[in-house]
Amino acid sequence: MAVSWLRQLAARSCVPVYPVWGEHDEALLATLVLSTQIELVDSPRHASVLLVVGEIPATLRDGLKHVHDQLPSPFAVVWFRGAPLIALNAPIHVDEADRLVDTLIRTHRELMLGQRDSASRLLPDEPPNPWEGLGDDGHGGEGMMGGTPMAGPWQ
């Protein structure tokens, strides 16, 4: 009962959108900023919708994948005036500026109410630096942090 109530409350909230700008016009930015139902957030960790605007250059595609994977579940990706460049589950594509705000609101509500599945992660979930070696007591390397222990008065 409480989860259903919280989902309905979240669905009615402002849509937290993290925009990634490719080629775009200033009128679109003004439309998003002036909308009372859209909140442009400064971090992908605070968004439920990733908005990719325009064509993304090939040099920035890897960075886009990292940004994509930083959004907390559930989340969705909306492509505006650009072809989806990365493989996603049922990408949402919009070409008309008039429909963009409505699409963002509808997508957010569907996510919060559990009517839309969250987008899947693109990058493997593994540590960037794999753990190497074991010390005498089962920990890594020499000493607690993997370096050589410091000499002190206790020795």
Side-chain angles (χ1 to χ4, degrees):
M1 183 69 162
V3 174
S4 173
W5 180 77
L6 288 174
R7 281 182 172 227
Q8 291 176 6
L9 186 64
R12 291 187 185 123
S13 67
C14 285
V15 181
V17 175
Y18 184 77
V20 175
W21 299 102
E23 298 173 7
H24 69 285
D25 57 356
E26 297 303 318
L28 174 65
L29 178 60
T31 301
L32 293 174
V33 169
L34 294 175
S35 174
T36 58
Q37 297 174 319
I38 303 292
E39 178 185 3
L40 298 180
V41 295
D42 296 329
S43 169
R45 299 254 183 219
H46 299 144
S48 66
V49 179
L50 174 65
L51 174 62
V52 182
V53 179
E55 296 295 327
I56 302 297
T59 56
L60 299 178
R61 291 180 190 163
D62 287 339
L64 179 59
K65 289 180 184 179
H66 287 281
V67 169
H68 175 276
D69 282 0
Q70 290 180 13
L71 275 82
S73 290
F75 72 98
V77 181
V78 174
W79 294 83
F80 180 72
R81 290 188 182 157
L85 303 173
I86 48 182
L88 299 171
N89 299 0
I92 303 162
H93 189 263
V94 180
D95 279 328
E96 300 164 15
D98 301 348
R99 295 181 44 221
L100 180 60
V101 172
D102 292 334
T103 301
L104 293 172
I105 293 168
R106 186 183 70 248
T107 302
H108 172 71
R109 287 191 177 146
E110 289 173 356
L111 283 169
M112 295 301 113
L113 294 173
Q115 298 168 348
R116 174 182 289 278
D117 291 336
S118 181
S120 58
R121 303 292 176 194
L122 299 174
L123 301 174
D125 188 17
E126 59 187 31
N129 299 316
W131 190 258
E132 295 180 12
L134 292 177
D136 297 334
D137 55 356
H139 300 131
E142 299 284 331
M144 290 179 65
M145 301 305 290
T148 305
M150 296 186 331
W154 54 86
Q155 290 183 343

